[in-house]
Amino acid sequence: MEIRHPHFFAAPDFWKTTREEVNAYLDGLQRGQGWEIGRSQGGHALRAVAYGKAEPLPRRTTYSSAIASGHPEDFYDRAKRQKPVLLIIGAIHAAEIEGVVTCLNFAQVMETGRDLRGREWPLLRELAEQLRVVLVPLPQPNGRLRSPVHNLIGGTVDDLYYYGQGLRNNGEILRWPECKRLQPIPIAEMEFLGGYYNDAGVNIQHDDFFGRPAPETRALLDLAAAEIPDCVMTLHSCGNGPFFIAPESYLSPACQFHQVQVAALVADRHRRDGLRPGGGTRTALQGGFYFHTALHHHTGTLPLLFEFPHGLEMKPFTFDEILDVGLDLFEEVMRYGVNCRYRPR
Ligand SMILES: [Zn+2]
């Protein structure tokens, strides 16, 4: 791997993103309940942490069958759940580390009342106490080990694609969305495989969900089946963030309605706090079928995909601003869960 700029490999103390930093932080938790949900392609532990008591939902049918019978309560009985469950999945694209920083700072708020900068977030904690929040900060550790960049602030799009997708044997950077034409990426054709992929070259976001999913995907599908979350939020990053992709195709109108509402509320919060939401006003449905879409069809959950800003030179953000983007996001999404319970009826 190439060091394209030394400052990509330095960060303030509150900005914990490497596999070692994340594991050390999770090892020290007092209130959060941690467990291993599986192993990665490369054999590394996939770790989850939860705040709030689990309320397992007994069920005798699948989501698909319950919808078709006209009895969705056979799969998910609202009367049997007190607290909505929010599942937050960090960097499946392992160079997109801004969500990892936010997960750990949120955990610190739950542990101590303050984020890792020492700043209090009383409303965030109060809202989170009314939910069960399950975090998987680093669901794809192999990519993180291969591409251990700490940040991409001030970087170029080429820097982003280099650490994200990687470098081909012919010396060309593998770019987005060209990178999606091959799944998995043939590793032998890569000089450097970026953090986007697990050790077998699989992009979890477009895995073979109904066929033979990668170990990381399998573990997350099983976690979702165990939790039956009311909402799943996956955390990504790009040059134009912050924004949600919304509304998405391959979802019911009710799901799309919730997606648009959450996106508008979060964009308004970011605008009020001077955090420059991007992404524009979407007038056409987003056409992709993604990992979080698969989780919806697996469990009926409300699926959300958020894009953080990397703070590239095209749209600069500071470390502090990016963390504020993330904690504002968590607060607004949790407020929505407390007020609206997320799950489409
Ligand atoms: Zn991504």
Side-chain angles (χ1 to χ4, degrees):
M1 186 200 63
E2 182 188 340
I3 307 293
R4 293 173 66 88
H5 203 295
H7 81 241
F8 294 153
F9 294 86
D13 285 344
F14 67 82
W15 190 271
K16 297 183 191 301
T17 65
T18 66
R19 195 182 69 99
E20 295 70 25
E21 287 171 332
V22 171
N23 280 342
Y25 182 80
L26 296 181
D27 287 342
L29 294 178
Q30 301 290 318
R31 290 190 62 209
Q33 294 185 322
W35 74 103
E36 188 178 311
I37 62 166
R39 292 265 159 172
S40 70
Q41 180 72 38
H44 295 290
L46 307 175
R47 301 179 68 174
V49 57
Y51 292 92
K53 202 164 72 65
E55 300 174 68
L57 289 178
R59 57 191 188 275
R60 298 200 296 171
T61 185
T62 60
Y63 178 62
S64 167
S65 197
I67 296 298
S69 73
H71 287 279
E73 75 277 9
D74 290 349
F75 183 81
Y76 176 98
D77 188 346
R78 184 178 287 256
K80 291 198 169 72
R81 178 166 279 175
Q82 303 296 314
K83 289 182 171 184
V85 176
L86 171 62
L87 171 58
I88 300 177
I89 298 175
I92 59 174
H93 294 151
E96 299 172 19
I97 32 64
E98 291 73 11
V100 181
V101 175
T102 306
C103 284
L104 267 50
N105 276 269
F106 167 73
Q108 186 73 2
V109 171
M110 297 306 289
E111 297 283 324
T112 69
R114 298 169 184 268
D115 67 23
L116 290 163
R117 301 172 295 189
R119 182 172 156 195
E120 292 185 355
W121 291 81
L123 178 59
L124 174 60
R125 187 165 161 170
E126 183 189 320
L127 291 166
E129 302 281 5
Q130 297 170 68
L131 306 168
R132 171 170 166 86
V133 182
V134 181
L135 306 167
V136 186
L138 210 55
Q140 209 268 88
N142 301 143
R144 194 75 198 98
L145 287 166
R146 226 181 300 113
S147 193
V149 63
H150 287 46
N151 75 94
L152 289 172
I153 290 174
T156 63
V157 172
D158 273 1
D159 295 328
L160 168 60
Y161 293 151
Y162 176 82
Y163 291 111
Q165 280 75 26
L167 190 72
R168 295 176 191 263
N169 286 337
N170 66 5
E172 284 176 11
I173 290 173
L174 179 58
R175 305 179 75 84
W176 181 93
E178 179 73 14
C179 61
K180 301 200 178 192
R181 296 185 66 185
L182 293 167
Q183 167 75 337
I185 295 290
I187 296 172
E189 295 175 20
M190 299 297 290
E191 167 76 22
F192 164 63
L193 183 67
Y196 219 61
Y197 309 99
N198 78 359
D199 274 359
V202 173
N203 176 4
I204 305 304
Q205 181 73 338
H206 297 291
D207 201 354
D208 186 12
F209 307 117
F210 308 118
R212 295 178 182 277
E216 296 86 353
T217 311
R218 181 75 265 158
L220 292 165
L221 285 165
D222 291 346
L223 174 65
E227 292 288 341
I228 310 293
D230 295 85
C231 178
V232 170
M233 179 162 64
T234 62
L235 303 176
H236 292 257
S237 310
C238 69
N240 291 318
F243 63 89
F244 275 104
I245 61 166
E248 291 179 69
S249 308
Y250 308 119
L251 297 173
S252 67
C255 257
Q256 293 170 1
F257 174 77
H258 283 289
Q259 285 189 325
V260 170
Q261 287 207 124
V262 173
L265 289 166
V266 172
D268 184 57
R269 171 67 181 273
H270 286 152
R271 191 174 294 111
R272 279 186 278 124
D273 285 356
L275 295 170
R276 308 183 292 288
T281 304
R282 304 288 178 166
T283 53
L285 287 168
Q286 306 289 303
F289 188 102
Y290 306 100
F291 169 61
H292 62 284
T293 327
L295 292 177
H296 165 75
H297 292 288
H298 193 37
T299 66
T301 191
L302 172 65
L304 301 173
L305 184 151
F306 184 74
E307 292 277 358
F308 278 83
H310 275 307
L312 301 183
E313 64 175 5
M314 63 188 277
K315 189 176 180 186
F317 279 82
T318 65
F319 288 105
D320 273 296
E321 285 178 328
I322 294 171
L323 178 53
D324 286 343
V325 163
L327 292 171
D328 274 9
L329 165 75
F330 278 28
E331 193 169 289
E332 293 303 322
V333 168
M334 289 177 196
R335 190 203 308 268
Y336 194 81
V338 169
N339 290 337
C340 303
R341 297 192 67 99
Y342 302 122
R343 180 171 281 260
R345 290 177 194 250

